[in-house]
Amino acid sequence: MEQLSTHFRFMRKALEVGQKALDEKEVPVGCVFVHRGKVIAEGSNKTNETLCGTRHAEFEGISQIVSTNPNSYKDILKETDLYVTVEPCIMCASALRQLQIKRVFFGCGNDRFGGNGSVLSLQIDQAEVESFPRGYCCYPGILNREAVMLLRKFYLLENDSAPQPTTKKTRNLIEDEFPRIEYKNYLTRNQFVEMFGEGRVGIYDSGGDGFIEESS
Amino acid sequence: MGTKRQKTAHHTINYETLTFDEVLRNVRSLEGPPGEGLIHAWIAEVPASESAKVLSAIREGVDDTVDLKHLKRFVKTANGTLRTLVCSVDHMKRPQLEELLRSVTILNITEELVPGIYPTTKEVSLELSAKYWPISWKGNPLVQELNELKVDVPAVKKNLEYIAKIAKETTGKQLPIVTMMVDSRDPQRRVVSVDSRETNQLAHSVMRCIQEVADHEVERRKLGEERDYLCFGYDVYTTHEPCAMCSMALVHSRVSNLYYVNQSPVTGAIDPQSGSGYCIHRALTLNWKFEAWHWLEELDVDKIAPDVFV
């Protein structure tokens, strides 16, 4: 039986990777790809360094897997879980669907670009189309406060590469308020219970009024 | 409406099919928000002589976040009084409203449903006006928006013919999908990419093009040339309607226009009729929009299997 602590452990690793992105003045999103219990690739956002808007953490990780396994990456990815600190954007969520990733775990939602339920739901759409790649299940809320803190630290800095940078001098780091996750937007009640246990179903039912803790 | 040349338009536009000069279709969703978009508003009936007073009380005291500018302020009743639209019910409660209008002679205050959204056709406008509260119709916003669009049709045709020709030259396992990105400010600056998913399943032609523009920019910066931001200012020409991944990549990259030849009815993410109808280039909550155009004239581009993500 899979332990919840396993998922927290891999998400902590993804947060470490995200921290590296912050140090490099990139939007701090980090991820790890886990195949049969082992991390096979990691990725952090590289859009500033590469001047390329598609170089998100997920793509960095996938590129590694493709280049180290040019003949078998498709089979590997179908058996691989992704742990990413922020909900994949629409672009990444579509890429993951096309690759038939096994499962996606994420920390916080992505209100503006999220492709796993916040804006669109690429992981389940067109399930009725026979020729479509199989969908995947996503599990939000693993260390979401830590993921949000990482982003907040970044937005306190100024993004020099965007045109007309705005000053954010008046902003302070908020450390005690976190957005609640509306779990219904991302997965079904059954999927939630199977992953997080019957004991936490109140978190699902009350519209995310609570956080998933590693042990409770 | 139908086909007509509007004096202010740059093209002959069919406002029903959204076709320009019969060769390009502007791709967008025409669906407005669902339902009639009705909201609750406060209506105050006043004697006609009080119109100036009630108007100034509203101007001074109402700062409504609900936009009601498309509605008429006064409706004259049969016995000569004026029914006045004050503000949305969400904006203030009745005691506040009475306080606001304390200097005005009020005959009656009611809460009523009014059309909350400016409609897209005159017919709907008339219908909603008759049923609820009159709208001041100032023309179709879609017509105005389309009239402002300007496309260099011969240049688009030339560029699409060029990528179609390259697509014809693909061989072996390579799919005949080609994308070209052109800097609209300097059309000599352009990159062309062919789909290469045989080496990487995600190496769609659009993704490769975006990467190539970025690689060029890295080189330019080394030479100390003027800085560009992502693909801002670029137009995209592609043989097939892009998938959600590529469409969103174009949003992230801030492109201006997308032109494509073949529609992708199952996997496409631009046309409201394709796939799940995402219309990603105009999805409201995203921070960037671009115009998308479907080329309608005969152009020899190979059909690909419907389950292929372009």
Side-chain angles (χ1 to χ4, degrees), chain A residues 157-191:
Chain A
L157 309 167
E158 287 180 27
N159 186 0
D160 295 330
S161 65
Q164 298 168 323
T166 50
T167 38
K168 297 172 182 174
K169 288 193 180 86
T170 53
R171 295 193 186 176
N172 296 312
L173 194 61
I174 305 163
E175 297 186 48
D176 51 2
E177 283 173 41
F178 295 94
R180 306 289 188 190
I181 291 178
E182 193 73 51
Y183 284 89
K184 291 178 186 68
N185 292 344
Y186 308 97
L187 73 175
T188 66
R189 196 172 190 268
N190 276 345
Q191 289 166 338

PDB file of all heavy atoms in Angstrom, chain A residues 157-191:
ATOM      1  N   LEU A 157      10.372  39.984  -5.578  1.00  0.00           N
ATOM      2  CA  LEU A 157      11.447  40.491  -6.424  1.00  0.00           C
ATOM      3  C   LEU A 157      10.805  41.115  -7.651  1.00  0.00           C
ATOM      4  O   LEU A 157       9.632  40.927  -7.908  1.00  0.00           O
ATOM      5  CB  LEU A 157      12.370  39.345  -6.862  1.00  0.00           C
ATOM      6  CG  LEU A 157      12.907  38.429  -5.772  1.00  0.00           C
ATOM      7  CD1 LEU A 157      13.514  37.190  -6.400  1.00  0.00           C
ATOM      8  CD2 LEU A 157      13.931  39.160  -4.930  1.00  0.00           C
ATOM      9  N   GLU A 158      11.579  41.825  -8.433  1.00  0.00           N
ATOM     10  CA  GLU A 158      10.992  42.375  -9.641  1.00  0.00           C
ATOM     11  C   GLU A 158      11.409  41.549 -10.838  1.00  0.00           C
ATOM     12  O   GLU A 158      12.552  41.129 -10.940  1.00  0.00           O
ATOM     13  CB  GLU A 158      11.440  43.819  -9.832  1.00  0.00           C
ATOM     14  CG  GLU A 158      10.747  44.727  -8.848  1.00  0.00           C
ATOM     15  CD  GLU A 158      11.177  46.151  -9.010  1.00  0.00           C
ATOM     16  OE1 GLU A 158      11.568  46.538 -10.123  1.00  0.00           O
ATOM     17  OE2 GLU A 158      11.118  46.879  -8.018  1.00  0.00           O
ATOM     18  N   ASN A 159      10.463  41.321 -11.751  1.00  0.00           N
ATOM     19  CA  ASN A 159      10.769  40.577 -12.965  1.00  0.00           C
ATOM     20  C   ASN A 159      11.294  41.549 -14.022  1.00  0.00           C
ATOM     21  O   ASN A 159      10.532  42.184 -14.734  1.00  0.00           O
ATOM     22  CB  ASN A 159       9.513  39.850 -13.456  1.00  0.00           C
ATOM     23  CG  ASN A 159       9.807  38.936 -14.630  1.00  0.00           C
ATOM     24  OD1 ASN A 159      10.949  38.846 -15.076  1.00  0.00           O
ATOM     25  ND2 ASN A 159       8.787  38.272 -15.121  1.00  0.00           N
ATOM     26  N   ASP A 160      12.624  41.660 -14.092  1.00  0.00           N
ATOM     27  CA  ASP A 160      13.242  42.666 -14.963  1.00  0.00           C
ATOM     28  C   ASP A 160      13.041  42.394 -16.446  1.00  0.00           C
ATOM     29  O   ASP A 160      13.135  43.285 -17.267  1.00  0.00           O
ATOM     30  CB  ASP A 160      14.753  42.720 -14.702  1.00  0.00           C
ATOM     31  CG  ASP A 160      15.037  43.197 -13.294  1.00  0.00           C
ATOM     32  OD1 ASP A 160      14.213  43.981 -12.796  1.00  0.00           O
ATOM     33  OD2 ASP A 160      16.054  42.792 -12.726  1.00  0.00           O
ATOM     34  N   SER A 161      12.795  41.131 -16.794  1.00  0.00           N
ATOM     35  CA  SER A 161      12.763  40.812 -18.216  1.00  0.00           C
ATOM     36  C   SER A 161      11.438  41.174 -18.881  1.00  0.00           C
ATOM     37  O   SER A 161      11.369  41.287 -20.086  1.00  0.00           O
ATOM     38  CB  SER A 161      13.058  39.328 -18.427  1.00  0.00           C
ATOM     39  OG  SER A 161      12.026  38.578 -17.858  1.00  0.00           O
ATOM     40  N   ALA A 162      10.384  41.371 -18.092  1.00  0.00           N
ATOM     41  CA  ALA A 162       9.110  41.760 -18.684  1.00  0.00           C
ATOM     42  C   ALA A 162       9.169  43.239 -19.039  1.00  0.00           C
ATOM     43  O   ALA A 162       9.837  44.020 -18.370  1.00  0.00           O
ATOM     44  CB  ALA A 162       7.974  41.504 -17.700  1.00  0.00           C
ATOM     45  N   PRO A 163       8.480  43.639 -20.124  1.00  0.00           N
ATOM     46  CA  PRO A 163       8.495  45.063 -20.458  1.00  0.00           C
ATOM     47  C   PRO A 163       7.810  45.875 -19.359  1.00  0.00           C
ATOM     48  O   PRO A 163       6.887  45.374 -18.727  1.00  0.00           O
ATOM     49  CB  PRO A 163       7.698  45.131 -21.762  1.00  0.00           C
ATOM     50  CG  PRO A 163       7.277  43.765 -22.105  1.00  0.00           C
ATOM     51  CD  PRO A 163       7.641  42.852 -20.996  1.00  0.00           C
ATOM     52  N   GLN A 164       8.254  47.078 -19.187  1.00  0.00           N
ATOM     53  CA  GLN A 164       7.704  47.990 -18.177  1.00  0.00           C
ATOM     54  C   GLN A 164       7.539  47.320 -16.819  1.00  0.00           C
ATOM     55  O   GLN A 164       6.425  47.061 -16.372  1.00  0.00           O
ATOM     56  CB  GLN A 164       6.345  48.531 -18.628  1.00  0.00           C
ATOM     57  CG  GLN A 164       6.429  49.339 -19.900  1.00  0.00           C
ATOM     58  CD  GLN A 164       5.063  49.612 -20.470  1.00  0.00           C
ATOM     59  OE1 GLN A 164       4.176  48.777 -20.418  1.00  0.00           O
ATOM     60  NE2 GLN A 164       4.896  50.789 -21.018  1.00  0.00           N
ATOM     61  N   PRO A 165       8.669  46.990 -16.188  1.00  0.00           N
ATOM     62  CA  PRO A 165       8.535  46.362 -14.872  1.00  0.00           C
ATOM     63  C   PRO A 165       7.822  47.288 -13.886  1.00  0.00           C
ATOM     64  O   PRO A 165       8.013  48.500 -13.924  1.00  0.00           O
ATOM     65  CB  PRO A 165       9.989  46.114 -14.462  1.00  0.00           C
ATOM     66  CG  PRO A 165      10.827  46.954 -15.347  1.00  0.00           C
ATOM     67  CD  PRO A 165      10.053  47.218 -16.583  1.00  0.00           C
ATOM     68  N   THR A 166       6.989  46.697 -13.080  1.00  0.00           N
ATOM     69  CA  THR A 166       6.272  47.494 -12.097  1.00  0.00           C
ATOM     70  C   THR A 166       6.983  47.376 -10.757  1.00  0.00           C
ATOM     71  O   THR A 166       7.511  46.335 -10.419  1.00  0.00           O
ATOM     72  CB  THR A 166       4.829  46.986 -11.936  1.00  0.00           C
ATOM     73  OG1 THR A 166       4.897  45.575 -11.724  1.00  0.00           O
ATOM     74  CG2 THR A 166       4.003  47.267 -13.166  1.00  0.00           C
ATOM     75  N   THR A 167       6.992  48.430 -10.027  1.00  0.00           N
ATOM     76  CA  THR A 167       7.647  48.385  -8.721  1.00  0.00           C
ATOM     77  C   THR A 167       6.745  47.693  -7.724  1.00  0.00           C
ATOM     78  O   THR A 167       5.539  47.878  -7.715  1.00  0.00           O
ATOM     79  CB  THR A 167       7.966  49.795  -8.210  1.00  0.00           C
ATOM     80  OG1 THR A 167       6.892  50.635  -8.572  1.00  0.00           O
ATOM     81  CG2 THR A 167       9.251  50.311  -8.798  1.00  0.00           C
ATOM     82  N   LYS A 168       7.375  46.864  -6.933  1.00  0.00           N
ATOM     83  CA  LYS A 168       6.599  46.112  -5.945  1.00  0.00           C
ATOM     84  C   LYS A 168       7.168  46.378  -4.553  1.00  0.00           C
ATOM     85  O   LYS A 168       7.103  45.548  -3.683  1.00  0.00           O
ATOM     86  CB  LYS A 168       6.665  44.624  -6.275  1.00  0.00           C
ATOM     87  CG  LYS A 168       6.026  44.297  -7.619  1.00  0.00           C
ATOM     88  CD  LYS A 168       6.261  42.868  -8.019  1.00  0.00           C
ATOM     89  CE  LYS A 168       5.651  42.610  -9.384  1.00  0.00           C
ATOM     90  NZ  LYS A 168       5.979  41.272  -9.887  1.00  0.00           N
ATOM     91  N   LYS A 169       7.722  47.572  -4.394  1.00  0.00           N
ATOM     92  CA  LYS A 169       8.424  47.883  -3.143  1.00  0.00           C
ATOM     93  C   LYS A 169       7.509  47.816  -1.931  1.00  0.00           C
ATOM     94  O   LYS A 169       7.939  47.525  -0.832  1.00  0.00           O
ATOM     95  CB  LYS A 169       9.044  49.278  -3.243  1.00  0.00           C
ATOM     96  CG  LYS A 169      10.232  49.310  -4.188  1.00  0.00           C
ATOM     97  CD  LYS A 169      11.015  50.589  -4.019  1.00  0.00           C
ATOM     98  CE  LYS A 169      12.207  50.625  -4.959  1.00  0.00           C
ATOM     99  NZ  LYS A 169      11.873  51.130  -6.285  1.00  0.00           N
ATOM    100  N   THR A 170       6.230  48.104  -2.162  1.00  0.00           N
ATOM    101  CA  THR A 170       5.338  48.189  -1.016  1.00  0.00           C
ATOM    102  C   THR A 170       4.840  46.821  -0.552  1.00  0.00           C
ATOM    103  O   THR A 170       4.172  46.711   0.449  1.00  0.00           O
ATOM    104  CB  THR A 170       4.115  49.059  -1.352  1.00  0.00           C
ATOM    105  OG1 THR A 170       3.543  48.541  -2.557  1.00  0.00           O
ATOM    106  CG2 THR A 170       4.504  50.491  -1.549  1.00  0.00           C
ATOM    107  N   ARG A 171       5.179  45.797  -1.299  1.00  0.00           N
ATOM    108  CA  ARG A 171       4.646  44.485  -0.940  1.00  0.00           C
ATOM    109  C   ARG A 171       5.431  43.835   0.195  1.00  0.00           C
ATOM    110  O   ARG A 171       6.639  43.946   0.276  1.00  0.00           O
ATOM    111  CB  ARG A 171       4.664  43.571  -2.151  1.00  0.00           C
ATOM    112  CG  ARG A 171       3.729  44.067  -3.230  1.00  0.00           C
ATOM    113  CD  ARG A 171       3.530  42.998  -4.248  1.00  0.00           C
ATOM    114  NE  ARG A 171       2.739  43.536  -5.357  1.00  0.00           N
ATOM    115  CZ  ARG A 171       2.463  42.863  -6.447  1.00  0.00           C
ATOM    116  NH1 ARG A 171       2.902  41.635  -6.576  1.00  0.00           N
ATOM    117  NH2 ARG A 171       1.744  43.390  -7.401  1.00  0.00           N
ATOM    118  N   ASN A 172       4.725  43.121   1.019  1.00  0.00           N
ATOM    119  CA  ASN A 172       5.364  42.365   2.095  1.00  0.00           C
ATOM    120  C   ASN A 172       5.022  40.898   1.935  1.00  0.00           C
ATOM    121  O   ASN A 172       4.010  40.536   1.353  1.00  0.00           O
ATOM    122  CB  ASN A 172       4.856  42.851   3.448  1.00  0.00           C
ATOM    123  CG  ASN A 172       5.251  44.296   3.689  1.00  0.00           C
ATOM    124  OD1 ASN A 172       6.405  44.666   3.504  1.00  0.00           O
ATOM    125  ND2 ASN A 172       4.280  45.108   4.063  1.00  0.00           N
ATOM    126  N   LEU A 173       5.884  40.081   2.493  1.00  0.00           N
ATOM    127  CA  LEU A 173       5.649  38.643   2.422  1.00  0.00           C
ATOM    128  C   LEU A 173       4.550  38.256   3.415  1.00  0.00           C
ATOM    129  O   LEU A 173       4.679  38.487   4.616  1.00  0.00           O
ATOM    130  CB  LEU A 173       6.955  37.912   2.745  1.00  0.00           C
ATOM    131  CG  LEU A 173       7.025  36.440   2.420  1.00  0.00           C
ATOM    132  CD1 LEU A 173       6.827  36.205   0.942  1.00  0.00           C
ATOM    133  CD2 LEU A 173       8.382  35.895   2.854  1.00  0.00           C
ATOM    134  N   ILE A 174       3.484  37.686   2.889  1.00  0.00           N
ATOM    135  CA  ILE A 174       2.395  37.232   3.765  1.00  0.00           C
ATOM    136  C   ILE A 174       2.675  35.781   4.143  1.00  0.00           C
ATOM    137  O   ILE A 174       2.901  34.951   3.277  1.00  0.00           O
ATOM    138  CB  ILE A 174       1.031  37.334   3.051  1.00  0.00           C
ATOM    139  CG1 ILE A 174       0.817  38.761   2.542  1.00  0.00           C
ATOM    140  CG2 ILE A 174      -0.105  36.920   3.960  1.00  0.00           C
ATOM    141  CD1 ILE A 174      -0.258  38.878   1.491  1.00  0.00           C
ATOM    142  N   GLU A 175       2.705  35.509   5.432  1.00  0.00           N
ATOM    143  CA  GLU A 175       3.115  34.170   5.843  1.00  0.00           C
ATOM    144  C   GLU A 175       2.033  33.378   6.550  1.00  0.00           C
ATOM    145  O   GLU A 175       2.243  32.237   6.937  1.00  0.00           O
ATOM    146  CB  GLU A 175       4.343  34.267   6.759  1.00  0.00           C
ATOM    147  CG  GLU A 175       5.533  34.863   6.036  1.00  0.00           C
ATOM    148  CD  GLU A 175       6.790  34.847   6.873  1.00  0.00           C
ATOM    149  OE1 GLU A 175       7.077  33.792   7.446  1.00  0.00           O
ATOM    150  OE2 GLU A 175       7.447  35.886   6.957  1.00  0.00           O
ATOM    151  N   ASP A 176       0.888  33.981   6.754  1.00  0.00           N
ATOM    152  CA  ASP A 176      -0.116  33.237   7.507  1.00  0.00           C
ATOM    153  C   ASP A 176      -1.445  33.052   6.772  1.00  0.00           C
ATOM    154  O   ASP A 176      -2.381  32.513   7.323  1.00  0.00           O
ATOM    155  CB  ASP A 176      -0.360  33.919   8.869  1.00  0.00           C
ATOM    156  CG  ASP A 176      -0.628  35.398   8.704  1.00  0.00           C
ATOM    157  OD1 ASP A 176      -0.654  35.863   7.532  1.00  0.00           O
ATOM    158  OD2 ASP A 176      -0.807  36.090   9.712  1.00  0.00           O
ATOM    159  N   GLU A 177      -1.522  33.499   5.537  1.00  0.00           N
ATOM    160  CA  GLU A 177      -2.767  33.293   4.790  1.00  0.00           C
ATOM    161  C   GLU A 177      -2.466  32.531   3.514  1.00  0.00           C
ATOM    162  O   GLU A 177      -1.561  32.895   2.777  1.00  0.00           O
ATOM    163  CB  GLU A 177      -3.377  34.642   4.393  1.00  0.00           C
ATOM    164  CG  GLU A 177      -4.073  35.357   5.512  1.00  0.00           C
ATOM    165  CD  GLU A 177      -4.501  36.750   5.073  1.00  0.00           C
ATOM    166  OE1 GLU A 177      -4.984  36.873   3.921  1.00  0.00           O
ATOM    167  OE2 GLU A 177      -4.316  37.679   5.861  1.00  0.00           O
ATOM    168  N   PHE A 178      -3.255  31.490   3.264  1.00  0.00           N
ATOM    169  CA  PHE A 178      -3.034  30.681   2.067  1.00  0.00           C
ATOM    170  C   PHE A 178      -4.347  30.406   1.370  1.00  0.00           C
ATOM    171  O   PHE A 178      -5.366  30.206   2.034  1.00  0.00           O
ATOM    172  CB  PHE A 178      -2.347  29.364   2.444  1.00  0.00           C
ATOM    173  CG  PHE A 178      -0.975  29.583   2.974  1.00  0.00           C
ATOM    174  CD1 PHE A 178      -0.768  29.696   4.343  1.00  0.00           C
ATOM    175  CD2 PHE A 178       0.090  29.741   2.111  1.00  0.00           C
ATOM    176  CE1 PHE A 178       0.498  29.945   4.840  1.00  0.00           C
ATOM    177  CE2 PHE A 178       1.356  29.992   2.601  1.00  0.00           C
ATOM    178  CZ  PHE A 178       1.560  30.092   3.969  1.00  0.00           C
ATOM    179  N   PRO A 179      -4.327  30.406   0.038  1.00  0.00           N
ATOM    180  CA  PRO A 179      -5.582  30.125  -0.664  1.00  0.00           C
ATOM    181  C   PRO A 179      -6.036  28.686  -0.392  1.00  0.00           C
ATOM    182  O   PRO A 179      -5.220  27.774  -0.372  1.00  0.00           O
ATOM    183  CB  PRO A 179      -5.220  30.316  -2.136  1.00  0.00           C
ATOM    184  CG  PRO A 179      -3.737  30.281  -2.213  1.00  0.00           C
ATOM    185  CD  PRO A 179      -3.214  30.675  -0.883  1.00  0.00           C
ATOM    186  N   ARG A 180      -7.312  28.516  -0.160  1.00  0.00           N
ATOM    187  CA  ARG A 180      -7.873  27.183   0.028  1.00  0.00           C
ATOM    188  C   ARG A 180      -8.001  26.518  -1.329  1.00  0.00           C
ATOM    189  O   ARG A 180      -8.202  27.189  -2.329  1.00  0.00           O
ATOM    190  CB  ARG A 180      -9.262  27.278   0.668  1.00  0.00           C
ATOM    191  CG  ARG A 180      -9.305  28.084   1.951  1.00  0.00           C
ATOM    192  CD  ARG A 180      -8.617  27.347   3.058  1.00  0.00           C
ATOM    193  NE  ARG A 180      -8.830  28.030   4.341  1.00  0.00           N
ATOM    194  CZ  ARG A 180      -8.190  27.703   5.452  1.00  0.00           C
ATOM    195  NH1 ARG A 180      -7.305  26.727   5.446  1.00  0.00           N
ATOM    196  NH2 ARG A 180      -8.436  28.340   6.567  1.00  0.00           N
ATOM    197  N   ILE A 181      -7.928  25.212  -1.337  1.00  0.00           N
ATOM    198  CA  ILE A 181      -8.070  24.497  -2.599  1.00  0.00           C
ATOM    199  C   ILE A 181      -9.480  23.954  -2.732  1.00  0.00           C
ATOM    200  O   ILE A 181      -9.995  23.308  -1.812  1.00  0.00           O
ATOM    201  CB  ILE A 181      -7.022  23.365  -2.695  1.00  0.00           C
ATOM    202  CG1 ILE A 181      -5.636  23.999  -2.843  1.00  0.00           C
ATOM    203  CG2 ILE A 181      -7.322  22.443  -3.866  1.00  0.00           C
ATOM    204  CD1 ILE A 181      -4.508  23.019  -2.909  1.00  0.00           C
ATOM    205  N   GLU A 182     -10.112  24.259  -3.846  1.00  0.00           N
ATOM    206  CA  GLU A 182     -11.449  23.727  -4.145  1.00  0.00           C
ATOM    207  C   GLU A 182     -11.235  22.372  -4.831  1.00  0.00           C
ATOM    208  O   GLU A 182     -11.142  22.290  -6.050  1.00  0.00           O
ATOM    209  CB  GLU A 182     -12.173  24.708  -5.056  1.00  0.00           C
ATOM    210  CG  GLU A 182     -13.661  24.478  -5.212  1.00  0.00           C
ATOM    211  CD  GLU A 182     -14.454  24.861  -3.980  1.00  0.00           C
ATOM    212  OE1 GLU A 182     -14.280  26.008  -3.478  1.00  0.00           O
ATOM    213  OE2 GLU A 182     -15.235  24.016  -3.512  1.00  0.00           O
ATOM    214  N   TYR A 183     -11.148  21.319  -4.018  1.00  0.00           N
ATOM    215  CA  TYR A 183     -10.757  19.998  -4.554  1.00  0.00           C
ATOM    216  C   TYR A 183     -11.676  19.494  -5.652  1.00  0.00           C
ATOM    217  O   TYR A 183     -11.243  18.792  -6.565  1.00  0.00           O
ATOM    218  CB  TYR A 183     -10.655  18.975  -3.414  1.00  0.00           C
ATOM    219  CG  TYR A 183      -9.394  19.174  -2.613  1.00  0.00           C
ATOM    220  CD1 TYR A 183      -9.386  20.043  -1.520  1.00  0.00           C
ATOM    221  CD2 TYR A 183      -8.207  18.560  -2.982  1.00  0.00           C
ATOM    222  CE1 TYR A 183      -8.237  20.282  -0.806  1.00  0.00           C
ATOM    223  CE2 TYR A 183      -7.042  18.782  -2.273  1.00  0.00           C
ATOM    224  CZ  TYR A 183      -7.059  19.646  -1.185  1.00  0.00           C
ATOM    225  OH  TYR A 183      -5.903  19.887  -0.498  1.00  0.00           O
ATOM    226  N   LYS A 184     -12.942  19.895  -5.588  1.00  0.00           N
ATOM    227  CA  LYS A 184     -13.912  19.430  -6.588  1.00  0.00           C
ATOM    228  C   LYS A 184     -13.523  19.833  -8.005  1.00  0.00           C
ATOM    229  O   LYS A 184     -13.932  19.194  -8.966  1.00  0.00           O
ATOM    230  CB  LYS A 184     -15.299  20.001  -6.287  1.00  0.00           C
ATOM    231  CG  LYS A 184     -15.930  19.448  -5.042  1.00  0.00           C
ATOM    232  CD  LYS A 184     -17.295  20.103  -4.796  1.00  0.00           C
ATOM    233  CE  LYS A 184     -17.879  19.666  -3.464  1.00  0.00           C
ATOM    234  NZ  LYS A 184     -17.119  20.192  -2.297  1.00  0.00           N
ATOM    235  N   ASN A 185     -12.751  20.919  -8.126  1.00  0.00           N
ATOM    236  CA  ASN A 185     -12.348  21.365  -9.459  1.00  0.00           C
ATOM    237  C   ASN A 185     -11.320  20.438 -10.101  1.00  0.00           C
ATOM    238  O   ASN A 185     -11.071  20.525 -11.296  1.00  0.00           O
ATOM    239  CB  ASN A 185     -11.724  22.773  -9.390  1.00  0.00           C
ATOM    240  CG  ASN A 185     -12.749  23.818  -9.029  1.00  0.00           C
ATOM    241  OD1 ASN A 185     -13.945  23.575  -9.112  1.00  0.00           O
ATOM    242  ND2 ASN A 185     -12.283  24.984  -8.603  1.00  0.00           N
ATOM    243  N   TYR A 186     -10.689  19.597  -9.288  1.00  0.00           N
ATOM    244  CA  TYR A 186      -9.544  18.844  -9.794  1.00  0.00           C
ATOM    245  C   TYR A 186      -9.759  17.337  -9.851  1.00  0.00           C
ATOM    246  O   TYR A 186      -9.185  16.661 -10.691  1.00  0.00           O
ATOM    247  CB  TYR A 186      -8.305  19.147  -8.942  1.00  0.00           C
ATOM    248  CG  TYR A 186      -8.046  20.624  -8.806  1.00  0.00           C
ATOM    249  CD1 TYR A 186      -8.474  21.334  -7.686  1.00  0.00           C
ATOM    250  CD2 TYR A 186      -7.411  21.320  -9.827  1.00  0.00           C
ATOM    251  CE1 TYR A 186      -8.249  22.701  -7.575  1.00  0.00           C
ATOM    252  CE2 TYR A 186      -7.182  22.683  -9.727  1.00  0.00           C
ATOM    253  CZ  TYR A 186      -7.606  23.373  -8.590  1.00  0.00           C
ATOM    254  OH  TYR A 186      -7.393  24.715  -8.497  1.00  0.00           O
ATOM    255  N   LEU A 187     -10.530  16.799  -8.894  1.00  0.00           N
ATOM    256  CA  LEU A 187     -10.713  15.347  -8.873  1.00  0.00           C
ATOM    257  C   LEU A 187     -12.060  14.997  -8.239  1.00  0.00           C
ATOM    258  O   LEU A 187     -12.698  15.847  -7.607  1.00  0.00           O
ATOM    259  CB  LEU A 187      -9.555  14.642  -8.157  1.00  0.00           C
ATOM    260  CG  LEU A 187      -9.396  14.703  -6.637  1.00  0.00           C
ATOM    261  CD1 LEU A 187      -8.237  13.819  -6.204  1.00  0.00           C
ATOM    262  CD2 LEU A 187      -9.174  16.093  -6.108  1.00  0.00           C
ATOM    263  N   THR A 188     -12.477  13.748  -8.437  1.00  0.00           N
ATOM    264  CA  THR A 188     -13.767  13.327  -7.887  1.00  0.00           C
ATOM    265  C   THR A 188     -13.591  12.968  -6.406  1.00  0.00           C
ATOM    266  O   THR A 188     -12.470  12.756  -5.921  1.00  0.00           O
ATOM    267  CB  THR A 188     -14.312  12.089  -8.614  1.00  0.00           C
ATOM    268  OG1 THR A 188     -13.439  10.986  -8.347  1.00  0.00           O
ATOM    269  CG2 THR A 188     -14.393  12.305 -10.128  1.00  0.00           C
ATOM    270  N   ARG A 189     -14.721  12.868  -5.720  1.00  0.00           N
ATOM    271  CA  ARG A 189     -14.701  12.527  -4.303  1.00  0.00           C
ATOM    272  C   ARG A 189     -14.054  11.158  -4.098  1.00  0.00           C
ATOM    273  O   ARG A 189     -13.252  10.959  -3.186  1.00  0.00           O
ATOM    274  CB  ARG A 189     -16.137  12.530  -3.778  1.00  0.00           C
ATOM    275  CG  ARG A 189     -16.257  12.560  -2.280  1.00  0.00           C
ATOM    276  CD  ARG A 189     -17.721  12.750  -1.909  1.00  0.00           C
ATOM    277  NE  ARG A 189     -17.890  13.012  -0.486  1.00  0.00           N
ATOM    278  CZ  ARG A 189     -18.104  12.070   0.400  1.00  0.00           C
ATOM    279  NH1 ARG A 189     -18.159  10.806   0.032  1.00  0.00           N
ATOM    280  NH2 ARG A 189     -18.263  12.380   1.677  1.00  0.00           N
ATOM    281  N   ASN A 190     -14.404  10.205  -4.973  1.00  0.00           N
ATOM    282  CA  ASN A 190     -13.832   8.857  -4.860  1.00  0.00           C
ATOM    283  C   ASN A 190     -12.324   8.866  -5.028  1.00  0.00           C
ATOM    284  O   ASN A 190     -11.600   8.193  -4.301  1.00  0.00           O
ATOM    285  CB  ASN A 190     -14.443   7.928  -5.912  1.00  0.00           C
ATOM    286  CG  ASN A 190     -15.759   7.358  -5.440  1.00  0.00           C
ATOM    287  OD1 ASN A 190     -16.085   7.432  -4.248  1.00  0.00           O
ATOM    288  ND2 ASN A 190     -16.527   6.804  -6.373  1.00  0.00           N
ATOM    289  N   GLN A 191     -11.865   9.619  -6.020  1.00  0.00           N
ATOM    290  CA  GLN A 191     -10.421   9.708  -6.241  1.00  0.00           C
ATOM    291  C   GLN A 191      -9.728  10.315  -5.026  1.00  0.00           C
ATOM    292  O   GLN A 191      -8.643   9.879  -4.633  1.00  0.00           O
ATOM    293  CB  GLN A 191     -10.132  10.557  -7.490  1.00  0.00           C
ATOM    294  CG  GLN A 191     -10.511   9.866  -8.790  1.00  0.00           C
ATOM    295  CD  GLN A 191     -10.541  10.819  -9.982  1.00  0.00           C
ATOM    296  OE1 GLN A 191     -10.681  12.032  -9.828  1.00  0.00           O
ATOM    297  NE2 GLN A 191     -10.413  10.267 -11.171  1.00  0.00           N
TER     298      GLN A 191
END
